[in-house]
């Protein structure tokens, strides 16, 4: 049901772009108005949510670590698994963000031969996730050739690296194969593994379907139903330099691709895709495990009225002297 | 707001990166320059082997197709939509009209960042090469020239 709902939503979006962009003059809406609106929603949405997150205190010092904390000099600590200073935290975060380290540690639990409980490592989710995310990053960076004029040389370098195999014309990009395979795997995982299907919501399927349709329309445009790329670049550079133009005869498929991307941008701040900024703000990852060296004060703490020992002594000095008790101050 | 320094620095970096195409194109000065094509002027060179729309989108697939037909199937002539026959040869037919590759092919290829590697191995008759490849091929010490012994 959830999957079906998301599928229908995607089909409606694609149909809307197909019909809309074929109507004369509506291409300005799809080519200029929607992209500007989508970028605005994307940026303000993310800024709003991150600022909102930053207003919640972190009451407890809660790094979740997988290694020995730094303590006595003769106990070997693990500075990346259980960092005690900022550099350690930066290293740990980098491993998490670039290589999904904690997902790499994913385990599975299975019943084998009757009542035997077996734990094992399970790397498939990690593999699918890392292949998808890196492919997407490289594809977006490669797209800069359509957005920037003159084209920065690193974009061209990335392009020739990605087209390394020189298969076909226009040349096949490795990342195109990888992103579609990874997304197919991630979708099938939700659909076929019963436990995961049970907990999957429409909000889990929708981003997968959306990303798949973006990649699929991109691939269709490049290898099967080609569009006019010079027009696309004129449109894109026009958008970015605030001189919007809508060249004629670009091809409807391009507008479908673009509308899906706009949908992604608008959907982003309202959805689980906010894990992108969220990973940076995870207290279980971004705090140093230094609770034995530094006192973490709960910012929520109400200022407590305390009675210090000095004040106590001042109050009872005479009585304590009479009773012969030792005093800090005479 | 807690850790406001870090939060704001992070947001500024993120927005800066995401909007970098805006800054780049606004600062570049040449962003709005589009390809400037010099088209054949002779009367008998006005009609290409296929429609303008098709050529703009699909010329690379057409060339690939011609390659397959000539090399694998031994078919050497292409009949265009209006019934005219063309020899399926890039150097003779395509470059016969579009004589200056740097004022035609390279214009769009450079604009959208397409790098051709065909000519890294294959050669063309020297008189027809005027693009950036010319220096590479026409140079008498050129590795390509020596390897392939182009005679012209
Ligand atoms: C989330 C962002 C995007 C993703 C994941 C994405 C994905 C893809 C993919 C996988 C392809 C196949 C060919 C390739 O890998 O280069 C593609 C092609 C293409 N995309 Fe995107 N795209 C995105 C955003 C955009 C935007 C914003 C535009 C235009 C303003 C755009 C325009 C194009 C065009 C014109 C092609 C065809 C390229 C060619 O024929 O060489 N894409 N896209």
């Amino acid at each position: 049901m959830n999957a079906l709902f998301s599928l229908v939503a995607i089909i409606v979006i694609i149909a809307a772009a197909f019909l809309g962009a074929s109507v004369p003059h509506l291409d300005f809406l799809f080519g200029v108005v929607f992209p500007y609106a989508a970028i605005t929603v994307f940026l303000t949405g993310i800024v709003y949510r991150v600022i909102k997150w930053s207003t919640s205190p972190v009451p407890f010092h809660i790094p979740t670590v997988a290694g020995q904390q730094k303590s006595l000099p003769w106990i070997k600590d693990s500075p990346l698994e259980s960092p005690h200073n900022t550099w350690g935290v930066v290293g740990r975060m980098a491993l998490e963000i670039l290589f999904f380290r904690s997902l790499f540690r994913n385990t599975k639990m299975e019943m084998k031969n009757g009542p035997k409980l077996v734990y094992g490592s399970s790397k498939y989710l990690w593999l699918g996730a890392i292949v998808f995310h890196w492919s997407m990053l490289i594809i977006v960076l490669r797209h800069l050739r359509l957005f920037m004029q003159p084209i920065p040389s690193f974009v061209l370098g990335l392009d020739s690296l990605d087209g390394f195999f020189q298969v076909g014309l226009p040349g096949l990009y490795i990342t195109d194969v990888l992103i579609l395979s990874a997304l197919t795997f991630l979708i099938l995982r939700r659909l076929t593994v019963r436990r995961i299907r049970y907990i999957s919501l429409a909000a889990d399927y929708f981003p997968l379907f959306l990303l798949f349709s973006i990649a699929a329309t991109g691939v269709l445009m490049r290898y099967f139903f080609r569009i006019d790329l010079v027009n696309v670049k004129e449109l894109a550079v026009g958008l970015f330099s605030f001189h919007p133009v809508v060249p004629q005869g670009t091809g409807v498929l391009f507008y479908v691709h673009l509308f899906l991307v706009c949908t992604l941008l608008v959907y982003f701040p309202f959805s689980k895709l906010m894990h992108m900024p969220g990973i940076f703000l995870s207290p279980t990852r971004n705090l140093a495990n230094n609770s034995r060296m530094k006192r973490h004060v709960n910012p929520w703490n109400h200022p407590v009225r305390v009675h210090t020992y000095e004040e106590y002594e001042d109050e009872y000095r005479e009585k304590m002297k009479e009773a012969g008790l030792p005093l800090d101050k005479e | 707001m807690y850790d406001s320094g870090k939060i704001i620095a992070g947001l500024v970096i993120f927005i800066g990166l995401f909007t970098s195409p805006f800054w780049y194109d606004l600062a570049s000065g040449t962003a709005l320059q589009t390809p400037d094509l010099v088209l054949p002027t002779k009367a008998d060179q006005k009609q290409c082997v296929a429609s303008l729309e098709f050529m703009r989108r699909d010329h690379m697939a057409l060339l690939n197709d011609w390659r397959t037909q000539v090399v694998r199937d031994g078919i050497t002539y292409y009949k265009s939509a209006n019934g005219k026959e063309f020899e399926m040869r890039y150097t003779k037919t395509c470059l016969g009209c579009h004589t200056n590759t740097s004022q035609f092919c390279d214009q769009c290829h450079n604009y959208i960042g397409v790098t051709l590697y065909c000519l890294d191995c294959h050669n063309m008759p020297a008189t027809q090469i005027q693009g950036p490849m010319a220096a590479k091929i026409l140079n008498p010490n050129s590795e390509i020239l020596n390897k392939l012994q182009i005679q012209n």
Side-chain angles (χ1 to χ4, degrees):
Chain A
M1 224 14 243
N2 289 333
L4 206 63
F5 176 80
S6 303
L7 192 64
V8 171
I10 291 289
I11 291 172
V12 169
I13 290 166
I14 293 178
F18 245 113
L19 297 177
S22 343
V23 176
H25 307 301
L26 271 193
D27 50 3
F28 188 78
L29 196 64
F30 282 88
V32 178
V33 179
F34 287 156
Y36 276 141
I39 292 172
T40 313
V41 172
F42 177 75
L43 287 179
T44 42
I46 288 186
V47 170
Y48 173 80
R49 288 203 64 184
V50 168
I51 290 189
K52 199 158 168 233
W53 286 341
S54 78
T55 58
S56 14
V58 180
F60 302 110
H61 190 69
I62 48 166
T64 320
V65 297
Q68 174 63 47
Q69 182 178 25
K70 174 147 177 89
S71 55
L72 299 166
W74 40 270
I75 299 178
K76 193 165 182 288
D77 67 322
S78 29
L80 278 177
E81 305 293 11
S82 180
H84 68 274
N85 59 17
T86 307
W87 285 116
V89 171
V90 170
R92 184 170 186 230
M93 290 295 281
L95 285 178
E96 186 67 35
I97 290 162
L98 300 175
F99 305 113
F100 305 174
R101 185 154 170 78
S102 57
L103 189 57
F104 192 69
R105 267 192 269 261
N106 194 23
T107 53
K108 62 170 186 271
M109 190 174 80
E110 261 170 20
M111 289 291 236
K112 282 236 170 92
N113 310 331
K116 253 197 211 150
L117 194 57
V118 184
Y119 293 88
S121 113
S122 170
K123 306 260 184 260
Y124 288 113
L125 180 57
W126 174 83
L127 189 68
I130 198 115
V131 168
F132 160 70
H133 281 86
W134 273 100
S135 302
M136 168 128 176
L137 177 67
I138 293 171
I139 289 170
V140 169
L141 289 178
R142 274 202 289 94
H143 271 61
L144 292 179
R145 79 186 167 107
L146 301 173
F147 305 163
M148 289 178 162
Q149 176 63 16
I151 304 169
S153 55
F154 87 90
V155 175
L156 294 176
L158 207 56
D159 206 276
S160 64
L161 211 61
D162 201 348
F164 178 77
F165 289 124
Q166 302 190 333
V167 176
L169 199 74
L172 180 73
Y173 289 126
I174 302 164
T175 47
D176 284 3
V177 178
L178 291 180
I179 198 172
L180 286 180
S181 324
L183 283 169
T184 306
F185 166 75
L186 293 172
I187 291 171
L188 286 180
R189 173 180 165 269
R190 285 201 181 271
L191 287 175
T192 56
V193 183
R194 268 154 61 201
R195 295 184 303 274
I196 294 167
R197 187 184 170 129
Y198 183 72
I199 57 166
S200 292
L201 305 173
D204 295 314
Y205 293 111
F206 183 75
L208 284 174
F209 291 162
L210 185 60
L211 288 161
F212 189 89
S213 356
I214 291 174
T217 46
V219 163
L220 285 179
M221 262 194 292
R222 183 174 170 85
Y223 307 104
F224 301 100
F225 306 102
R226 271 172 285 275
I227 42 111
D228 192 321
L229 271 181
V230 173
N231 282 356
V232 171
K233 179 139 190 187
E234 277 178 43
L235 184 133
V237 171
L239 284 179
F240 289 121
S241 50
F242 297 110
H243 285 90
V245 279
V246 187
Q248 293 304 303
T250 308
V252 174
L253 200 50
F254 166 69
Y255 289 101
V256 177
H257 187 65
L258 188 59
F259 190 57
L260 287 165
V261 174
C262 292
T263 309
L264 178 69
L265 290 177
V266 170
Y267 179 70
F268 199 100
F270 303 95
S271 67
K272 69 176 203 173
L273 301 178
M274 283 299 283
H275 67 268
M276 188 255 274
I279 183 78
F280 292 92
L281 273 78
S282 307
T284 55
R285 311 283 135 177
N286 67 13
L287 291 174
N289 190 15
N290 57 2
S291 51
R292 293 181 184 182
M293 297 180 239
K294 281 205 184 113
R295 187 177 144 95
H296 176 88
V297 180
N298 178 0
W300 253 344
N301 275 353
H302 187 72
V304 179
R305 176 83 197 94
V306 290
H307 195 51
T308 63
Y309 178 72
E310 283 166 353
E311 288 164 352
Y312 172 90
E313 216 182 65
D314 288 345
E315 199 176 335
Y316 294 106
R317 175 155 290 113
E318 295 311 314
K319 295 196 172 76
M320 287 169 81
K321 230 186 214 161
E322 271 171 32
L325 290 173
L327 286 171
D328 281 0
K329 259 194 295 184
E330 278 309 322
Chain B
M1 196 163 144
Y2 300 91
D3 286 322
S4 53
K6 285 179 199 156
I7 298 279
I8 290 169
L11 284 175
V12 167
I13 291 172
F14 166 69
I15 293 176
L17 283 178
F18 187 80
T19 56
S20 56
F22 285 96
W23 310 118
Y24 189 90
D25 283 343
L26 286 172
S28 100
T30 56
L32 295 179
Q33 270 174 25
T34 48
D36 185 14
L37 304 186
V38 176
L39 297 174
T41 44
K42 290 194 202 129
D44 63 336
Q45 297 182 338
K46 282 287 169 198
Q47 182 57 54
C48 197
V49 300
S51 72
L52 173 66
E53 197 196 7
F54 179 86
M55 290 311 280
R56 281 186 67 125
R57 296 177 180 191
D58 290 299
H59 61 277
M60 73 304 282
L62 180 88
L63 283 172
N64 204 25
D65 204 36
W66 280 14
R67 190 279 318 262
T68 311
Q69 291 192 36
V70 172
V71 176
R72 306 213 177 125
D73 307 334
I75 304 169
T76 49
Y77 278 88
Y78 171 80
K79 203 162 174 190
S80 77
N82 60 11
K84 220 172 140 191
E85 290 219 331
F86 294 93
E87 199 176 336
M88 290 197 275
R89 275 176 68 185
Y90 170 65
T91 41
K92 190 172 166 199
T93 306
C94 307
L95 298 186
C97 299
H98 302 289
T99 46
N100 188 331
T101 52
S102 67
Q103 288 175 351
F104 190 72
C105 319
D106 299 347
Q107 286 291 323
C108 293
H109 289 161
N110 292 343
Y111 185 59
I112 55 169
V114 172
T115 319
L116 302 185
Y117 50 84
C118 323
L119 304 181
D120 289 358
C121 307
H122 294 278
N123 71 88
M124 298 192 286
T127 47
Q128 292 179 350
I129 310 168
Q130 297 173 28
M133 286 309 298
K136 207 161 158 187
I137 297 176
L138 295 180
N139 175 356
N141 302 323
S142 146
E143 204 185 311
I144 303 174
L145 194 72
N146 291 340
K147 239 191 243 161
L148 298 172
Q149 307 267 310
I150 312 178
Q151 326 122 1
N152 194 50

